[in-house]
Amino acid sequence: MLPQRVTIVEVGPRDGLQNEARPVATADKAAFVRRLEAAGVRELEVTSFVSPRWVPQLADATELLGQLRRPAGVRHHALVPNVPGLERLLALPDEARPQEVVVFGAASEMFSRRNLNCGIDESIERFAPVVARAHAAGLVVRGAVSCALGCPFEGPIAPAAVGRVVGLMRGIGVDHVGLADTIGVGTPGRVREVVEAAAAHYPLTDLSGHFHDTYGQALANILACLDLGLARFDASVAGLGGCPYAPGATGNVATEDVVYLLHGLGIDTGIDLDALADAGAWISERLGRPSASRAGTALHARRRLPT
């Protein structure tokens, strides 16, 4: 049976904007988050506490969070790769502080070395004090496993390799693990194998999917996950985002397209699709390019038809 309700974690403000060449004003980022919240999104990955040298687009993390006030029932997330980044986050007042932090590893040794400048085992060792410190501060920790379906440098990744990294994250106390198809090469059969490998370490309620749409398989992969009972997915409005370390990878699956699929299956998301599409069109206009969401584009085209 399919889940009755699915949680969407909107990653557009962080993963979606981090690779944009055109600077996005902090005020526009805050307005973007507010539009998503007004559309009914209740889980948002808002920013990242990484070095501004590596991700200049998100250098305003502290300023952005200081401008936001979460509506009741909304949770903010932030990517935090190390203890200094976490301490920056913890220095925020309680009302501005995200409730969930994200550490990111990889199922590919080469991708880990290219992205984190260390191997898989060392990356987990680095995350251990972040997890402990975050838990001491009452925060939830999510671990993202990049290249869970394939790597731009190593090619296909064995499900057992993914399961190993998930197990290592369980060993340091990570609360929830997201399986990321960073370069969008996954297909439903392979996705099932990877989810099953991860489910040896976590219940399905503590696993989520993160899909890119490079080969047009993201929605099919989400449907495969739904059939297994997975009920939590990352998505990025207007299909924003990509991976700077994965040549040729396209953006994340568009939130509008995921919500359209879920609502068509009778699955509740709590999200107003029309308002979500408006948020996607709004940020796309500010970025100076069209939305990559097929559902969002179709909804706006339908509104322009004469009555």
Side-chain angles (χ1 to χ4, degrees), residues 219 236-239 253-261 272-284 290-304:
L219 292 179
S236 180
V237 72
V253 65
T255 314
E256 303 96 315
D257 298 356
V258 177
V259 171
Y260 184 82
L261 168 70
D272 181 327
L273 180 55
D274 286 320
L276 183 70
D278 287 344
W282 184 88
I283 191 62
S284 296
S291 169
S293 166
R294 294 181 180 181
T297 300
L299 286 168
H300 278 271
R302 186 178 68 187
R303 291 182 192 175
R304 291 194 295 267

Side-chain angles (χ1 to χ4, degrees), residues 66-82:
Q67 292 187 18
L68 297 174
R69 291 296 179 268
R70 292 185 304 273
V74 170
R75 298 174 72 253
H76 287 170
H77 308 191
L79 190 146
V80 180
N82 50 41

